[in-house]
Amino acid sequence: MRQELMSLPKGLAEDVSRNLVMVAQLIDEDPEKAYGYSRVALRLASRVAAVREAAGFAAYATQKYSEALAEFRAARRMSGGVELWPVMADCERGLNRPERALAMAGEPEVQKLDKAGQVEMRLVAAGARRDLGQLDAAIVTLQSPELASSAVHPWTARLRYAYADALLAAGREREAREWFAKALEADKDGATDASDRLAEMDGVEFVDAFDEDEVDEVDEDSDRGDVVDVDVDVDDDEDDDFDEDDSDDSVGDKS
């Protein structure tokens, strides 16, 4: 990307770079803001492949699948690479065209992908099978040497999780639990909610320590402060000593 930006005038390259950095920083926590920055970068340098790719991922994160697909196609034409092939296929799924995603899974481009890309393509193809109601085919699609391997890679947790989820959808609960546990074992970065799925299958419920109504009551009490009733015995003689004129003076705040 840096080499592509170097072809731009210095000031323009800096502006584009700043916007791309914001896209990368925000795309997970605030996709809409990331999308906005990507549109600015796109207006500034639409002929740079990295900009089109970033715009594609920002659109994809906000479920603008048609726009994302167009940007990915443009980036691929400019760069000549195949690494965007799986996410392009997933855009077809997002557009309710799982048959096209499956067709892409059988294209020669898949063989040019690295291992991570091939696993990603397998995940997309399995998802397309599920979109079509073909659960057994989805399960078979995910069965692979990568799934059977005990080695842990960045994509391992997601692959095991997808397999567990497909098994559960097919009613194979015992096997599903086993694979959710394996997904959790490989999920060092919290990429999946395998722990929650396991807890759900085991019937574990997480209950808040305080009910919302109880919390509100506690807050109200804390605002008012503790009220303590104190019984004070006042001697009748002392009471008589009070002058009537003094009775109008405020002894304490009665409010």
Side-chain angles (χ1 to χ4, degrees), residues 71-111:
E71 297 299 341
F72 288 142
R73 285 172 174 167
R76 183 169 177 267
R77 284 195 301 270
M78 293 175 182
S79 67
V82 297
E83 61 276 0
L84 294 173
W85 197 254
V87 72
M88 289 169 62
D90 206 39
C91 285
E92 296 287 5
R93 286 187 61 214
L95 292 168
N96 296 315
R97 300 193 297 235
E99 296 90 347
R100 292 193 184 184
L102 286 174
M104 291 179 69
E107 293 293 331
E109 282 82 355
V110 177
Q111 303 305 317

Side-chain angles (χ1 to χ4, degrees), residues 33-44:
K33 278 190 178 180
Y35 176 77
Y37 281 106
S38 76
R39 301 307 295 176
V40 175
L42 196 58
R43 287 197 298 271
L44 294 172

Side-chain angles (χ1 to χ4, degrees), residues 28 49 63 82 131 152 170 172 186 191 206 211 252:
D28 291 327
Q63 299 184 3
V82 297
D131 293 341
V152 175
R172 296 162 60 175
F206 297 99
D211 184 84

Side-chain angles (χ1 to χ4, degrees), residues 33-240:
K33 278 190 178 180
Y35 176 77
Y37 281 106
S38 76
R39 301 307 295 176
V40 175
L42 196 58
R43 287 197 298 271
L44 294 172
S46 62
R47 295 186 180 182
V48 175
V51 171
R52 303 303 289 266
E53 181 177 331
F57 277 111
Y60 178 80
T62 52
Q63 299 184 3
K64 298 176 176 67
Y65 297 116
S66 181
E67 185 177 324
L69 185 57
E71 297 299 341
F72 288 142
R73 285 172 174 167
R76 183 169 177 267
R77 284 195 301 270
M78 293 175 182
S79 67
V82 297
E83 61 276 0
L84 294 173
W85 197 254
V87 72
M88 289 169 62
D90 206 39
C91 285
E92 296 287 5
R93 286 187 61 214
L95 292 168
N96 296 315
R97 300 193 297 235
E99 296 90 347
R100 292 193 184 184
L102 286 174
M104 291 179 69
E107 293 293 331
E109 282 82 355
V110 177
Q111 303 305 317
K112 300 175 185 178
L113 294 168
D114 60 14
K115 182 62 67 177
Q118 290 180 4
V119 170
E120 196 65 38
M121 192 70 241
R122 191 176 292 276
L123 288 167
V124 173
R129 291 292 185 190
R130 292 191 63 171
D131 293 341
L132 294 168
Q134 301 171 2
L135 274 175
D136 290 340
I139 290 171
V140 171
T141 299
L142 292 169
Q143 292 171 344
S144 61
E146 293 81 16
L147 180 68
S149 174
S150 60
V152 175
H153 300 279
W155 38 260
T156 301
R158 291 177 57 240
L159 180 60
R160 293 176 179 179
Y161 182 94
Y163 188 59
D165 195 47
L167 289 169
L168 186 61
R172 296 162 60 175
E173 294 187 9
R174 184 186 61 79
E175 295 170 87
R177 193 198 181 289
E178 176 186 346
W179 281 96
F180 276 129
K182 289 183 177 181
L184 179 59
E185 183 182 305
D187 194 358
K188 307 302 182 186
D189 301 322
T192 74
D193 64 346
S195 60
D196 293 338
R197 300 296 297 275
L198 277 171
E200 183 182 347
M201 293 186 73
D202 292 341
V204 177
E205 293 185 9
F206 297 99
V207 181
D208 290 337
F210 291 100
D211 184 84
E212 288 185 5
D213 294 335
E214 292 177 353
V215 172
D216 291 339
E217 290 176 6
V218 171
D219 289 341
E220 289 176 4
D221 289 342
S222 63
D223 290 339
R224 289 195 302 266
D226 293 335
V227 179
V228 181
D229 293 329
V230 180
D231 293 330
V232 179
D233 293 329
V234 180
D235 189 285
D236 290 340
D237 294 336
E238 291 181 358
D239 190 41
D240 293 338

